[in-house]
Amino acid sequence: MQNIENKVAYITGGTKGIGFGIARVLLESGLKVAISGRNIEDVEKAKALLGSDNVLAIQSNVSNFEDEVKAVEQIVTKFGKLDVVIANAGVGKFAPVDQLSLEDWNAMIDTNLTGVFHTLKATVDQLKAHKGYYISLASLAGTNFFANGAGYNASKFGVVGFTQAAMLDLRAYDIKCTTIMPGSVTSHFNDHVPSEEDAWKIQPSDLGEMVVDLLQMNPNVLPSKIEVRPARTK
């Protein structure tokens, strides 16, 4: 089992939901964590809730490459390195394709897909230097299309294809790449407010534990794509 204590992780979209849940579990597992979001007040609030000196709050919009470059600079200045990158930031806008606005299409592609590329592009030198791990959060919507999901499906199908191709490109540098494809998760996605009715769903901490399992796995093993669903339906 790999020792992951004192490794440094960067989580985009880390202020709530899946990203926040992963950040909490990684901190509990001995990692140092940087979390980012578009609104610095939200990021600082999340940092306070995590309650650790080993958290760095960063304002970054992943659709802006320069923001991600600056994020990496802040991480290296604070922690000295970067070992693990979790591209989690995402948005969802749902409508029939003939009614889907250009604004909503561009928001999903720019954040969910181009943002994933920006995050890897900005961090890849650190990942090469430390034989790191890059994890993207896709979705079962990255392999299962559905009505009203044309834009979201396109972005998540793209994330799956991008991460799998990146895995083939980067394993020559001993960088691991995995895409995690969750089904129903208790989160704030699409303005949802979590409640007790979400207890049957995957919890953000479950995905955090999955990330820890990946990081601790034998270096010779690479689960490159993981589909994960709730164990039961509602």
Side-chain angles (χ1 to χ4, degrees), residues 35-214:
I35 57 172
S36 71
R38 297 186 183 195
N39 186 303
I40 190 59
E41 289 80 13
D42 290 342
V43 187
E44 292 287 359
K45 184 185 297 184
K47 176 183 176 179
L49 288 172
L50 290 169
S52 171
D53 292 334
N54 288 324
V55 179
L56 174 64
I58 299 172
Q59 182 175 17
S60 180
N61 181 343
V62 297
S63 67
N64 184 331
F65 178 65
E66 292 304 319
D67 278 7
E68 287 295 87
V69 171
K70 291 176 183 176
V72 175
E73 291 172 352
Q74 293 178 62
I75 294 166
V76 174
T77 298
K78 171 72 173 178
F79 295 126
K81 62 173 183 171
L82 177 57
D83 303 287
V84 179
V85 177
I86 300 169
N88 168 71
V91 296
K93 308 287 184 179
F94 304 99
V97 67
D98 57 313
Q99 299 174 31
L100 184 64
S101 70
L102 291 174
E103 181 181 19
D104 286 349
W105 170 273
N106 289 333
M108 287 185 283
I109 297 301
D110 290 350
T111 300
N112 300 357
L113 181 54
T114 304
V116 166
F117 169 65
H118 284 168
T119 300
L120 179 56
K121 186 73 172 175
T123 60
V124 71
D125 287 343
Q126 281 292 311
L127 294 175
K128 286 180 179 179
H130 302 290
K131 297 182 178 180
Y133 209 133
Y134 178 82
I135 297 170
S136 66
L137 266 293
S139 167
L140 290 181
T143 192
N144 301 296
F145 50 84
F146 56 91
N148 298 329
Y152 190 70
N153 283 142
S155 69
K156 292 301 185 178
F157 270 67
V159 171
V160 173
F162 170 79
T163 309
Q164 295 301 284
M167 177 268 296
L168 296 178
D169 292 339
L170 297 178
R171 61 182 177 177
Y173 301 98
D174 292 321
I175 298 172
K176 288 186 174 184
C177 293
T178 298
T179 188
I180 299 175
M181 305 166 64
S184 298
V185 180
T186 299
S187 75
H188 296 80
F189 182 74
N190 205 30
D191 297 324
H192 175 71
V193 178
S195 69
E196 292 182 2
E197 295 183 358
D198 296 312
W200 64 276
K201 298 178 181 179
I202 299 165
Q203 302 303 306
S205 60
D206 299 330
L207 297 176
E209 291 170 7
M210 182 174 292
V211 170
V212 170
D213 288 342
L214 288 170

